[in-house]
């Protein structure tokens, strides 16, 4: 199992980079930078590339609606270049709340667009003359939609690699099936290992049946909050604000993927209550309504023996890369938690 760090997009980036540089020496494998409606992840990944030497860098994730497929490919090739071949392109749809509410971009056809984005990126990295006639993207634009002067172009630079790994963040059955078919990696959110098979097993099996063997095994990249010790149960509450935000506030009723996931995990009534409270402006009550059982199931918080048991559960559920966010009181404690996790991880 690979161990990595998921950087918080809400602040403290310079301090986080200092910790990553220290943890790179301790043996972490990957650092992932998220992009929501915060600072862009590209500039931060470029900064990380200059500060590190061996750790893999990944976007976690770039929304597919905010950049053209060609720009996504160019950005990935550029980050792969400045990191000497250490970049992994993480993409996802995000959700209507962010795409329509912050970017003013229509959230439409997530499955079709994701497939076409992946196909176009791989053409760009191969330096094909880019000609693509998809349902959602046509390159060059047809004459009746443009000036009629469109000419097929190819990437000017020679990428470090013509096949940069792609990880897709996906939650719904069809999205997960598509990911298992076409991507090198899958990045689900709020992964509950004991419930993963019942929620995603059928979709993963269906996608794997159509998967090109050249892609290799699917890298299952999962995020978990981390705190190791005999008296760290209070850190469970540190994760609750994010869960309340996503389950309660990331989308209207009927259009919230995270609420749907909590429901599929068996927390439907609780998810409804969190959403009701959050959307009515009672955010603190929504946070208090998040159950410890859910937080504990998707986290690594507890004594060393308990953490070892949870690592075994994540491994049994097929997780190959574990991305952690230390719930630490200070930077030294954060580093210590990750170092202890590295000692405990399965071979």
């Amino acid at each position: 199992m690979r161990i990595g760090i998921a950087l918080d997009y809400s602040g403290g980036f310079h301090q986080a980079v200092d910790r990553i540089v220290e943890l790179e020496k301790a043996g972490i494998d990957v650092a992932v930078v998220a992009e929501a409606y915060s600072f862009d992840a590209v500039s931060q990944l470029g900064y990380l590339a200059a500060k590190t030497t061996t750790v893999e860098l990944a976007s976690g994730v770039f929304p597919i609606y905010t950049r053209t497929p060609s720009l996504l490919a160019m950005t990935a090739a550029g980050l792969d270049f400045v990191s000497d071949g250490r970049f992994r392109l993480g993409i996802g749809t995000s959700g209507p709340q962010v795409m329509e509410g912050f970017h003013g971009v229509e959230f439409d056809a997530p499955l079709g667009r994701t497939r076409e984005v992946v196909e176009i990126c791989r053409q760009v990295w191969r330096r094909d003359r880019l000609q693509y006639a998809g349902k959602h993207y046509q390159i060059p634009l047809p004459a009746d939609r443009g000036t009629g002067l469109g000419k097929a172009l190819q990437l000017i630079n020679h990428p470090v690699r013509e096949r940069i790994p792609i990880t897709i963040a996906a939650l719904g059955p069809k999205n997960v099936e598509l990911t298992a078919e076409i991507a090198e990696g899958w990045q689900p959110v709020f992964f509950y290992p004991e419930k993963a098979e019942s929620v995603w097993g059928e979709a993963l099996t269906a996608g794997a049946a159509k998967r090109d063997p050249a892609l290799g095994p699917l890298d299952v990249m999962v995020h978990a909050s981390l705190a190791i010790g005999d008296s760290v149960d209070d850190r469970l509450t540190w994760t609750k604000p994010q869960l309340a935000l996503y389950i309660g506030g990331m989308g209207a009723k009927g259009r919230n993927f995270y609420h749907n996931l909590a429901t599929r995990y068996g927390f439907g009534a609780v998810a409804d209550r969190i959403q009701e409270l959050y959307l009515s402006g009672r955010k603190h009550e929504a946070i208090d309504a998040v159950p410890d059982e859910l937080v504990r199931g998707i986290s690594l918080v507890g004594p060393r023996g308990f953490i070892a048991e949870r690592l075994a559960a994540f491994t049994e559920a097929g997780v190959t890369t574990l991305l952690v966010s230390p719930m630490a009181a200070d930077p030294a404690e954060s580093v210590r938690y990750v170092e202890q996790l590295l000692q405990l991880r399965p071979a």
Side-chain angles (χ1 to χ4, degrees):
M1 177 184 286
R2 301 196 308 161
I3 299 295
I5 295 291
L7 274 72
D8 184 1
Y9 48 70
S10 62
F13 179 74
H14 286 287
Q15 295 87 344
V17 170
D18 291 341
R19 290 195 291 276
I20 288 172
V21 170
E22 186 172 349
L23 288 169
E24 183 180 49
K25 299 172 185 175
I28 65 165
D29 302 291
V30 56
V32 175
V33 180
E35 184 175 272
Y37 42 103
S38 51
F39 290 150
D40 75 287
V42 180
S43 56
Q44 297 179 73
L45 284 160
Y47 184 85
L48 265 174
K51 292 288 186 176
T52 57
T53 55
T54 60
V55 68
E56 182 180 74
L57 306 175
S59 52
V61 297
F62 294 150
I64 62 172
Y65 295 99
T66 57
R67 299 171 175 88
T68 67
S70 298
L71 180 57
L72 279 168
M74 292 164 60
T75 300
L79 288 169
D80 206 43
F81 173 73
V82 297
S83 65
D84 295 322
R86 290 186 286 130
F87 180 67
R88 171 185 289 261
L89 175 61
I91 59 173
T93 61
S94 186
Q97 178 76 6
V98 177
M99 292 304 101
E100 298 177 3
F102 188 73
H103 291 284
V105 176
E106 185 178 358
F107 186 91
D108 71 328
L111 284 171
R113 288 189 183 277
T114 298
R115 182 183 290 275
E116 293 187 13
V117 164
V118 170
E119 291 174 351
I120 292 167
C121 281
R122 288 173 175 158
Q123 282 192 34
V124 171
W125 297 330
R126 292 195 303 264
R127 300 190 72 245
D128 295 346
R129 290 202 173 273
L130 193 52
Q131 294 179 298
Y132 192 86
K135 179 178 180 181
H136 308 286
Y137 302 101
Q138 296 83 45
I139 308 171
L141 274 179
D144 61 349
R145 291 182 53 203
T147 63
L149 299 177
K151 178 182 178 182
L153 302 174
Q154 67 183 151
L155 188 69
I156 293 173
N157 310 85
H158 288 261
V160 175
R161 296 178 290 176
E162 69 169 26
R163 190 64 172 266
I164 296 171
I166 295 176
T167 294
I168 299 176
L171 292 179
K174 292 296 183 183
N175 305 70
V176 172
E177 180 178 336
L178 177 68
T179 299
E181 177 191 348
I182 68 173
E184 280 87 357
W186 171 43
Q187 191 174 336
V189 69
F190 307 144
F191 188 89
Y192 200 130
E194 288 83 359
K195 299 177 185 290
E197 173 63 27
S198 64
V199 173
W200 290 304
E202 187 175 332
L204 289 168
T205 299
K210 297 175 283 186
R211 185 177 181 82
D212 182 348
L215 289 170
L218 186 68
D219 186 7
V220 181
M221 304 179 70
V222 168
H223 174 264
S225 299
L226 174 68
I228 303 176
D230 295 329
S231 304
V232 295
D233 270 8
D234 63 305
R235 308 299 168 89
L236 292 171
T237 62
W238 295 19
T239 300
K240 290 186 178 184
Q242 184 188 43
L243 278 166
L245 167 63
Y246 277 76
I247 294 172
M250 280 295 188
K253 290 185 178 181
R255 296 197 75 192
N256 184 320
F257 308 134
Y258 313 99
H259 176 282
N260 294 345
L261 177 60
T263 299
R264 295 170 73 196
Y265 278 162
F267 296 92
V270 174
D272 288 344
R273 180 61 176 160
I274 293 169
Q275 187 174 61
E276 176 189 343
L277 291 167
Y278 206 97
L279 294 180
S280 65
R282 299 156 68 184
K283 296 181 181 179
H284 291 294
E285 292 178 64
I287 293 168
D288 291 339
V290 176
D292 286 351
E293 180 187 353
L294 175 58
V295 181
R296 197 180 297 278
I298 65 173
S299 303
L300 293 167
V301 176
R304 286 177 65 95
F306 177 76
I307 298 301
E309 293 174 4
R310 297 309 295 156
L311 285 172
F314 278 100
T315 301
E316 178 67 21
V319 174
T320 50
T321 299
L322 191 60
L323 308 168
V324 298
S325 293
M327 301 288 103
D330 55 60
E333 188 174 59
S334 175
V335 171
R336 186 168 69 251
Y337 285 162
V338 178
E339 288 176 338
Q340 290 174 332
L341 183 66
L342 289 167
Q343 295 169 3
L344 291 169
R345 68 171 163 181

